[in-house]
Amino acid sequence: MNVRDWQDILSDVTTSGADAGGWRAVAGNRASGIGEDMYLGHPSAGVYQLKTYAKNPFEVRGVGTRVARRIDDDLDSLFPKKDAGRFGVQSPMTDENEATEAARDLESVLEAHSDAPTTPGDLFEDVMGALDSPAYGPMEHDSYGRPDGLDDLSGEFEEAERLLNTELDELVDADETNRGFQ
């Protein structure tokens, strides 16, 4: 298992070439220690596990790995369906021209949706398309705890769970983030 920086894992997701709207995610607090757990999955790109924490208000640190090459029938039921919340992964704009074009496209989408009857799901899809998001879809998330799907996925990938917990705890210790204020 290849444990890497969490941003490298997100880079793999954004450059996977998988259908952008086919991703699903489950996220919430870690079972122990500070930080958050997240699983990102796509039927053809596989399943990625991330563990992150906020070192300070301006810096997120973490680790991750690919835990499965694809989503099989056993894993499919552990990820949310269309009626869940939403998430999106966005690559940074490379220059001012790209940002201006994306803003113009986004403005067009919002104008079109303000003039016509639409659903929140349709708006989300069109916004992700206008921003050229490489990965987005339904997400089960709990800001204050752990959704059931997160515990179920952790149980499926126990070895990765142990290894990533150890790696993240080492980061936290090295950063002295767990010391608190003195």
Side-chain angles (χ1 to χ4, degrees):
M1 183 173 318
N2 189 14
V3 175
R4 298 180 297 148
D5 185 84
W6 73 284
Q7 291 180 338
D8 292 341
I9 300 300
L10 285 182
S11 179
D12 287 355
V13 167
T14 61
T15 61
S16 70
D19 169 44
W23 290 89
R24 295 182 286 162
V26 179
N29 292 338
R30 285 180 63 203
S32 63
I34 64 171
E36 298 80 32
D37 286 343
M38 175 182 249
Y39 285 88
L40 292 167
H42 189 282
S44 64
V47 178
Y48 297 86
Q49 182 179 4
L50 303 167
K51 289 188 176 283
T52 60
Y53 77 98
K55 178 180 177 182
N56 59 52
F58 307 103
E59 184 178 2
V60 174
R61 304 229 341 173
V63 294
T65 191
R66 185 177 187 187
V67 293
R69 294 189 187 280
R70 65 183 184 87
I71 295 179
D72 60 18
D73 291 338
D74 292 337
L75 295 177
D76 186 57
S77 64
L78 303 179
F79 282 95
K81 304 300 181 222
K82 293 269 185 208
D83 59 348
R86 304 271 185 222
F87 84 99
V89 176
Q90 187 62 44
S91 298
M93 302 287 170
T94 56
D95 59 31
E96 189 175 334
N97 290 337
E98 184 181 358
T100 301
E101 184 179 327
R104 188 173 35 255
D105 292 347
L106 184 57
E107 184 177 11
S108 295
V109 165
L110 294 175
E111 285 177 9
H113 280 269
S114 70
D115 293 338
T118 186
T119 67
D122 291 337
L123 175 62
F124 178 78
E125 290 280 332
D126 290 346
V127 165
M128 292 294 104
L131 294 176
D132 200 23
S133 176
Y136 63 90
M139 177 179 198
E140 182 182 5
H141 180 265
D142 187 338
S143 298
Y144 303 105
R146 289 177 62 83
D148 292 338
L150 193 54
D151 288 330
D152 295 340
L153 283 162
S154 294
E156 287 290 320
F157 302 107
E158 289 178 5
E159 180 183 341
E161 182 73 14
R162 280 191 300 275
L163 182 59
L164 290 174
N165 273 331
T166 299
E167 293 286 331
L168 189 67
D169 288 341
E170 288 175 9
L171 272 179
V172 170
D173 289 343
D175 290 340
E176 297 183 339
T177 306
N178 58 347
R179 287 186 33 199
F181 297 102
Q182 295 191 26

